[in-house]
Amino acid sequence: MAKQPTKYVFVTGGVLSGLGKGITAASIARLLKSRGLSVNLQKCDPYLNVDAGTLNPREHGECFVTKDGAETDLDLGHYERFIDQELTQASSLMAGRVLLKVIQDERAGKYEGEDVQIIPHLTGAIQDYIEEAGKGYDVHIVEIGGTVGDYESLSFVEAIREFGMRVGLENCIYVHVVYLPYLGASQETKTKPAQNSVRDLRGLGISPDVLVARSENTANEGVKKKLSLFTGVSEDAIALLPNAKSIYQVPLTLEDTGVANVIVERLGLEGHTADLQDWRDMVSRATNKFDKTVKVGVIAKYLDNTDTYMSVFEALRSAAWWNDVNLDIVWVDAEQFDGTDSDVSTLSQYDGILVPGGFGQRGLEGKIKAAQYALKEKKPYLGLCLGLQMAVIAAARNAGLQDATTFELDPNSKDVVINTMADQKNLANTGGTMRLGNYDCQLAEGSLASKVYNATDIVERHRHRGECNNDYREQYASWGITASGLNHANNLVEVIEGTDHPFFLASQFHPEFKSRPTVAHPMFDGFIKSLL
């Protein structure tokens, strides 16, 4: 029997940004995967960047990294956590990357003298990327970033409209996410912004098959009837999604609305029943109130946006609820400890200290002092990427090497214990100076790291410029730390831990990228256990 062609689900958004298109796309993917279908996801971003590597985390949230080293939008983190599947570069498409390809093709003479235009060349290139990413899957879900009506999104909206003709409308379904504001004065949920958004989308040639209506409060069912009348979307294909206590409840709410069945039927994918038991078990934990609470101080430098450390916080939460404990995450501004006479004793109020990744000089001295405090006071410590680098400097300074520093703070110091690799020295392009994606790591037998992982050979994801300077590795023992994880291929330190400490563990990689809500990541699990 011939395999069915790939089916496509396109998710667009209207009214305003930040509605949760990414969570909606990820939730639909979870529901389809729970029916035994193979699923892939892709985010199309209208930014004229080639990738997300240079975007400001204070504005855009964290930069998520795929196994093959693509620097992407944080929505890919949601995708991976919801479907428990490692994605690749193909799942992240930014307008700058498509434009660059079209211009390079024009320069290479591939258009043979044609006028190069938005339609059909740019829209055609977008469709090529989408079709390529969907190959081999039962369903490919594509989220279009931005809001319908934005000038910058128009080429993507036009591309997915044309795509229906390219692969057949019977193989495509269009899901539109809208917002329902609530007016307290009249105590009513208003549908007009949603109606106008659907009208805008239809004006661009796409009639949505499914409507997902987001709201702060629960809207009454009468809203569905009104939305259906004015948008032409049948009531059974309209899902009302009020704010949830946990984002992981959204797939279950969507399933209850019956919208997943509508998508399955319209795409001709019937005969599959959903198995969501493991997801329901996890949501039960995620929304439970436990008897015990642990308090973690996150020594942060990007405090403007709650999405900046999205994967770190999700990994902490997952580890907490699988250990039957409530989690109190407190943001601690690293800069407050940057001064020479800063008082770090305030860190005593936390059960554990976590130092996440980051770039640039600001807050580095504060992070070093936090790590020094954790070492001296035997306070549980988890260092991620930059958190490892600051921990090495902290150990060196505690042992008397007062000039120990990183290349980011003082490249001319006589004791640069964190430096760039030799082959990166003359690379100015930020992308070229980083170790990105999956690398092997061998953990020392009997080490804390090997006990936490219950393994000695692991693979984790990286995104960093600095490395431990191997010239100092022999001194680690006298500093009270050991390099318990190594990448032998490049002779690089991957994990360090305290030698006389209940739990002092830090990695050069970003373990948070591989954490899942249904399975706590070993490093975070070990950290939470140490707090208990």
Side-chain angles (χ1 to χ4, degrees):
M1 185 175 162
K3 184 174 163 59
Q4 272 195 315
T6 300
K7 306 290 184 175
Y8 298 87
V9 178
F10 294 104
V11 180
T12 54
V15 186
L16 45 85
S17 60
L19 275 183
K21 291 191 305 297
I23 300 295
T24 302
S27 297
I28 292 170
R30 173 75 261 166
L31 296 179
L32 296 180
K33 191 167 181 180
S34 73
R35 285 165 165 78
L37 298 162
S38 66
V39 179
N40 195 31
L41 285 135
Q42 184 178 31
K43 172 78 182 277
C44 291
D45 248 319
Y47 298 124
L48 298 182
N49 301 66
V50 175
D51 62 35
T54 55
L55 294 179
N56 185 345
R58 296 169 105 174
E59 186 179 340
H60 297 276
E62 76 174 5
C63 174
F64 188 83
V65 180
T66 58
K67 65 179 181 179
D68 55 349
E71 295 176 282
T72 74
D73 181 84
L74 61 80
D75 273 334
L76 267 77
H78 290 313
Y79 298 169
E80 287 206 4
R81 286 187 286 274
F82 273 64
I83 64 171
D84 189 16
Q85 196 169 300
E86 288 194 292
L87 302 177
T88 66
Q89 169 76 68
S91 287
S92 178
L93 184 63
M94 284 198 162
R97 186 157 144 233
V98 192
L99 285 164
L100 187 63
K101 183 185 188 308
V102 169
I103 290 166
Q104 286 173 338
D105 285 352
E106 184 272 331
R107 292 287 82 190
K110 290 185 181 177
Y111 296 112
E112 298 179 340
E114 284 183 75
D115 298 333
V116 180
Q117 298 176 285
I118 299 293
I119 303 170
H121 302 107
L122 183 63
T123 54
I126 291 169
Q127 291 171 61
D128 291 344
Y129 277 113
I130 290 172
E131 192 166 24
E132 185 60 34
K135 275 183 183 169
Y137 292 94
D138 294 325
V139 186
H140 183 51
I141 300 169
V142 183
E143 176 196 349
I144 306 298
T147 310
V148 167
D150 294 346
Y151 284 120
E152 55 192 7
S153 299
L154 288 174
S155 53
F156 282 101
V157 174
E158 173 60 19
I160 64 172
R161 182 194 71 79
E162 294 173 16
F163 197 84
M165 295 182 287
R166 178 167 171 164
V167 301
L169 283 169
E170 71 279 5
N171 295 317
C172 294
I173 199 161
Y174 297 90
V175 178
H176 193 48
V177 185
V178 292
Y179 182 61
L180 301 175
Y182 178 78
L183 287 187
S186 57
Q187 295 189 332
E188 57 181 335
T189 302
K190 307 300 284 186
T191 63
K192 187 63 74 176
Q195 294 175 39
N196 290 341
S197 178
V198 173
R199 189 181 300 127
D200 288 344
L201 187 60
R202 291 169 77 173
L204 296 170
I206 295 173
S207 291
D209 303 284
V210 172
L211 214 53
V212 173
R214 289 274 297 107
S215 60
E216 300 293 313
N217 308 306
T218 304
N220 64 58
E221 287 295 308
V223 166
K224 265 192 193 182
K225 195 178 290 293
K226 194 170 182 182
L227 277 174
S228 179
L229 178 65
F230 287 102
T231 64
V233 178
S234 61
E235 282 188 55
D236 67 337
I238 297 175
L240 302 180
L241 275 190
N243 279 358
K245 187 177 174 184
S246 163
I247 56 172
Y248 302 116
Q249 287 174 293
V250 178
L252 302 180
T253 308
L254 265 183
E255 179 68 14
D256 292 343
T257 67
V259 154
N261 290 334
V262 171
I263 293 171
V264 165
E265 286 165 20
R266 295 200 187 176
L267 290 176
L269 295 165
E270 294 176 77
H272 302 270
T273 52
D275 178 7
L276 288 161
Q277 193 51 53
D278 63 334
W279 198 261
R280 291 186 194 280
D281 293 344
M282 178 271 293
V283 169
S284 173
R285 285 178 171 275
T287 54
N288 194 16
K289 191 80 176 159
F290 300 102
D291 295 332
K292 267 188 173 173
T293 299
V294 290
K295 192 174 181 183
V296 175
V298 177
I299 317 300
K301 59 186 286 184
Y302 308 117
L303 304 168
D304 309 57
N305 187 336
T306 53
D307 291 346
T308 310
Y309 304 103
M310 175 68 76
S311 293
V312 174
F313 289 178
E314 290 305 319
L316 277 172
R317 291 185 186 114
S318 171
W321 64 60
W322 286 110
N323 278 291
D324 302 321
V325 65
N326 307 311
L327 178 67
D328 182 11
I329 299 173
V330 182
W331 296 52
V332 182
D333 187 354
E335 274 192 283
Q336 68 177 287
F337 303 133
D338 269 354
T340 49
D341 55 351
S342 301
D343 178 19
V344 291
S345 64
T346 54
L347 295 176
S348 63
Q349 64 185 292
Y350 306 112
D351 297 308
I353 293 168
L354 186 149
V355 176
F359 294 92
Q361 295 184 352
R362 189 174 57 82
L364 291 191
E365 287 292 351
K367 291 185 179 228
I368 293 166
K369 287 191 179 70
Q372 284 182 285
Y373 175 85
L375 272 170
K376 285 176 180 171
E377 301 299 325
K378 302 284 194 280
K379 178 77 72 176
Y381 176 94
L382 183 63
L384 313 174
C385 194
L386 183 67
L388 171 137
Q389 298 170 14
M390 300 304 99
V392 171
I393 296 168
R397 289 186 186 177
N398 278 1
L401 199 69
Q402 291 307 320
D403 291 328
T405 190
T406 166
F407 71 101
E408 285 190 283
L409 278 174
D410 184 7
N412 299 314
S413 168
K414 63 180 173 52
D415 290 309
V416 182
V417 299
I418 301 296
N419 212 344
T420 48
M421 289 191 293
D423 60 354
Q424 296 174 334
K425 283 282 195 277
N426 300 314
L427 294 176
N429 184 323
T430 51
T433 61
M434 287 221 227
R435 198 143 64 100
L436 289 163
N438 277 6
Y439 282 84
D440 295 331
C441 171
Q442 286 73 46
L443 301 174
E445 292 272 6
S447 63
L448 170 64
S450 69
K451 288 171 187 166
V452 160
Y453 274 93
N454 193 26
T456 52
D457 292 303
I458 61 169
V459 177
E460 292 281 6
R461 293 189 211 166
H462 297 64
R463 181 183 184 242
H464 55 91
R465 202 167 292 128
E467 302 282 357
C468 293
N469 187 338
N470 285 332
D471 294 345
Y472 292 85
R473 212 193 284 179
E474 288 180 3
Q475 297 182 42
Y476 283 7
S478 65
W479 297 352
I481 59 172
T482 181
S484 57
L486 300 173
N487 173 267
H488 290 299
N490 298 296
N491 190 27
L492 294 170
V493 172
E494 292 278 9
V495 180
I496 65 112
E497 57 190 61
T499 46
D500 179 26
H501 198 288
F503 192 95
F504 190 91
L505 188 63
S507 65
Q508 186 65 88
F509 45 78
H510 287 268
E512 67 269 23
F513 291 151
K514 290 181 77 170
S515 174
R516 301 288 183 256
T518 47
V519 185
H521 186 284
M523 281 189 69
F524 289 89
D525 183 57
F527 179 57
I528 295 294
K529 279 184 166 65
S530 76
L531 309 187
L532 291 167

